[in-house]
Amino acid sequence: MFKKETYIKRRNELKTMVGNGVIILFGNNESPCNYPNNGYYPFRQDSSFLYYFGQQRDGLVGVMDIENDRDTLIGNDIDIEDIVWYGSVDSVRDLAAQVGVEHSAPIAALQDICNNAQKQGRKIHFLPPYRFDTKLQITDLLGIHHSQQKNAASMELIRAVVKMRSVKDAEEIEELERAAEIGYKMHTTAMRLTKPGVTEKFIGGQIDGIAASYGAKVSFPTIFSQHGEIMHGNPSMATLEAGRLALCDCGAETINFYCSDNTRTLPVSGKYTQRQLEIYSIVEACHDHALEISKPGVRYMDVHLSVCRMMADRLKELGLMKGNTEDAVRAGAHAMFLPHGLGHMMGMDVHDMEGLDQRNVGFDEETQPMLDQFGTNALRMGRRLEEGFVVTDEPGIYFIPALIDDWRAQGLHKDFLNYDLIETYKDFGGIRIEDDILITKDGCRFIGKELIPYHPKDVEEYMANH
């Protein structure tokens, strides 16, 4: 939790931006694994609630009455039975004071607040809910059926939250740096352990344990797989095999809920083969190219497309693609190898603010998502970069057997793809290199004081000497 002045400033700015009405930010509740006394899934507070109210306890709701400039933390104090099992915790009144909120009330008061606002014809602003219990709560409070709540959510509030949370302040950047430090330890642990005969599950478990041992959690389920062509390949019981590649995509979420997200692709035998280096060098060049051209005022969609053109040019040199590069990228032929976008926003969520709809987070009136083209439709961030944005830079090249078969059977992009040669790569897997970058006044820089090795020689040297 940051100092209380941070939360006071954020709430005041939000009220000014929204303008009028009552803002309700729902915190999350506990989620039992199968029944309450059998334990709960690890609690994760709603990120927007955290951003404005800071408290990690379950069962809380934050209310901001804009015209009356009155903030209230809503929630019930725990009873003696809970204290017996879980120990004493601060009262809701104390929790409110810690984040500069003067008023607190039990959960039953929320209905009165909503009823009064509706009687007065005042707008009640809420964000799109993503948990069933919050949807039920909104139905009870406001009479809005769960199927209508996404459309009923306040666009004024969504736009204001996106604008504020997109630009990271100094406190947030420090927290992102802490997440990156833990992420460095996670990835270098994977580098030390990767060798023939070890299971994917073992390395994945060790990575997750590193995060836990530093008081953090993983920022998303760890990806560690020899099948790097599978975008979200979770660790299996498969044994690492000599000569293959292992893709490791993982990150940490700090106790203040800021995330890291990096990917490295490792040679199981400790050295890349010549064929692997040929593909790796293309991904490496695309990764570095994005770093060179990302700066305030540049659209991230244009960075993505520039990377795609570079990738297509280099794949043509290997004979895997052919024809005019501009035409190939315009047609989407490159998505055979790169079926996802260059990156996404990063912050308190690893895909920052994704619950507010990616069209509101990564795009705007000037830059709209290209939803009708395979690959480009998976671009999560396209709008102009601003100082203080944190985005991922994660190009990759993948050889997906089912996709190769499907496109070849349809004759898709046959003027741009050399299917006979592509067939010989079906056992290759995939390569991705990913880092988190902070947009600065004149360009961008890596998040993280120690950069996880990614240049081939550096990876091989680290694996050989640690």
Side-chain angles (χ1 to χ4, degrees), residues 22 109-122 124:
V22 177
L110 188 56
Q111 187 68 70
D112 293 334
I113 291 172
C114 292
N115 290 345
N116 290 335
Q118 288 179 320
K119 286 177 184 177
Q120 296 166 15
R122 301 175 68 198
I124 297 176

Side-chain angles (χ1 to χ4, degrees), residues 50-69:
L50 279 169
Y51 189 81
Y52 295 101
F53 285 90
Q55 295 293 356
Q56 301 179 21
R57 211 205 82 176
D58 63 299
L60 299 176
V61 180
V63 176
M64 288 173 261
D65 184 323
I66 297 174
E67 284 87 348
N68 295 309
D69 194 22

Side-chain angles (χ1 to χ4, degrees), residues 42-45 182 186 208 211-212 214-220 251-255 257-258:
F43 177 69
R44 175 54 157 90
Q45 185 61 281
I182 302 170
M186 295 166 75
D208 291 355
Y214 285 93
K217 296 185 291 188
V218 294
S219 52
F220 57 94
E253 180 181 274
T254 69
I255 58 173
F257 301 99
Y258 284 81

Side-chain angles (χ1 to χ4, degrees), residues 108-339:
L110 188 56
Q111 187 68 70
D112 293 334
I113 291 172
C114 292
N115 290 345
N116 290 335
Q118 288 179 320
K119 286 177 184 177
Q120 296 166 15
R122 301 175 68 198
K123 181 163 184 177
I124 297 176
H125 303 271
F126 62 89
L127 296 174
Y130 53 89
R131 290 196 173 191
F132 79 91
D133 49 347
T134 304
K135 293 179 180 181
L136 291 173
Q137 196 172 9
I138 291 173
T139 299
D140 290 341
L141 290 168
L142 304 177
I144 303 172
H145 190 270
H146 67 268
S147 64
Q148 303 300 315
Q149 290 172 9
K150 183 176 181 181
N151 291 333
S154 167
M155 282 306 304
E156 298 98 321
L157 180 58
I158 290 171
R159 293 192 184 102
V161 170
V162 169
K163 185 174 179 62
M164 291 183 66
R165 286 183 56 189
S166 292
V167 178
K168 274 58 180 180
D169 63 24
E171 285 181 306
E172 292 179 287
I173 293 167
E174 286 180 19
E175 201 64 30
L176 287 163
E177 296 280 5
R178 292 188 188 98
E181 290 176 20
I182 302 170
Y184 175 89
K185 293 178 172 66
M186 295 166 75
H187 274 278
T188 52
T189 295
M191 289 181 176
R192 289 195 295 272
L193 294 175
T194 295
K195 55 179 61 71
V198 182
T199 66
E200 294 174 1
K201 274 283 190 186
F202 178 81
I203 296 176
Q206 296 294 308
I207 293 169
D208 291 355
I210 292 292
S213 69
Y214 285 93
K217 296 185 291 188
V218 294
S219 52
F220 57 94
T222 292
I223 297 165
F224 186 89
S225 176
Q226 292 174 107
H227 285 283
E229 77 279 7
I230 301 173
M231 299 299 111
H232 290 168
N234 297 127
S236 73
M237 287 304 297
T239 300
L240 298 185
E241 300 174 11
R244 295 187 66 174
L245 295 169
L247 188 147
C248 180
D249 186 347
C250 66
E253 180 181 274
T254 69
I255 58 173
N256 285 321
F257 301 99
Y258 284 81
C259 299
S260 66
D261 182 8
N262 302 90
T263 306
R264 296 294 183 263
T265 308
L266 313 173
V268 173
S269 299
K271 284 191 173 292
Y272 298 99
T273 67
Q274 182 57 37
R275 192 187 209 198
Q276 290 166 351
L277 279 173
E278 289 172 351
I279 301 298
Y280 193 103
S281 67
I282 300 175
V283 179
E284 177 189 19
C286 290
H287 169 275
D288 292 353
H289 179 60
L291 282 167
E292 292 168 2
I293 64 175
S294 295
K295 61 182 179 180
V298 173
R299 294 195 315 163
Y300 212 50
M301 179 177 282
D302 293 332
V303 180
H304 167 82
L305 292 173
S306 184
V307 162
C308 293
R309 289 189 288 270
M310 171 179 278
M311 184 177 292
D313 281 338
R314 295 285 297 270
L315 288 168
K316 282 166 59 177
E317 293 173 6
L318 293 181
L320 289 162
M321 292 189 71
K322 57 186 178 179
N324 180 271
T325 296
E326 288 290 340
D327 292 341
V329 171
R330 192 176 301 113
H334 65 282
M336 162 70 76
F337 309 99
L338 179 61

Side-chain angles (χ1 to χ4, degrees), residues 29 57-61 73-80 82-83 89-95 104-110 137:
N29 298 310
R57 211 205 82 176
D58 63 299
L60 299 176
V61 180
L73 185 64
I74 305 285
N76 293 333
D77 290 329
I78 68 169
D79 58 27
I80 191 64
D82 285 330
I83 291 173
V89 297
D90 291 336
S91 68
V92 175
R93 181 180 179 180
D94 289 338
L95 294 174
S104 62
I107 200 72
L110 188 56
Q137 196 172 9

Side-chain angles (χ1 to χ4, degrees), residues 285-447:
C286 290
H287 169 275
D288 292 353
H289 179 60
L291 282 167
E292 292 168 2
I293 64 175
S294 295
K295 61 182 179 180
V298 173
R299 294 195 315 163
Y300 212 50
M301 179 177 282
D302 293 332
V303 180
H304 167 82
L305 292 173
S306 184
V307 162
C308 293
R309 289 189 288 270
M310 171 179 278
M311 184 177 292
D313 281 338
R314 295 285 297 270
L315 288 168
K316 282 166 59 177
E317 293 173 6
L318 293 181
L320 289 162
M321 292 189 71
K322 57 186 178 179
N324 180 271
T325 296
E326 288 290 340
D327 292 341
V329 171
R330 192 176 301 113
H334 65 282
M336 162 70 76
F337 309 99
L338 179 61
H340 62 74
L342 179 63
H344 52 80
M345 285 281 210
M346 274 281 303
M348 295 181 81
D349 305 308
V350 72
H351 290 167
D352 210 18
M353 299 174 282
E354 192 170 53
L356 304 183
D357 195 320
Q358 211 62 52
R359 289 170 295 184
N360 299 320
V361 177
F363 299 89
D364 54 22
E365 291 182 3
E366 177 193 15
T367 306
Q368 291 293 307
M370 299 168 63
L371 299 176
D372 58 347
Q373 187 183 85
F374 177 80
T376 311
N377 62 354
L379 180 62
R380 292 188 172 96
M381 174 62 187
R383 66 189 176 107
R384 293 192 186 278
L385 298 168
E386 297 178 26
E387 184 179 359
F389 280 15
V390 175
V391 296
T392 61
D393 166 19
E394 50 178 309
I397 292 177
Y398 315 89
F399 295 89
I400 306 168
L403 185 63
I404 295 169
D405 291 343
D406 181 63
W407 280 26
R408 187 167 200 176
Q410 296 182 61
L412 286 179
H413 305 307
K414 59 186 179 181
D415 293 336
F416 305 116
L417 299 173
N418 184 348
Y419 280 108
D420 288 340
L421 184 57
I422 291 170
E423 284 280 342
T424 68
Y425 282 78
K426 277 185 172 180
D427 63 348
F428 185 91
I431 293 173
R432 180 164 66 252
I433 304 172
E434 176 184 15
D435 286 297
D436 309 326
I437 59 175
L438 170 68
I439 305 303
T440 59
K441 182 179 179 180
D442 301 313
C444 68
R445 70 166 177 85
F446 287 117
I447 294 281

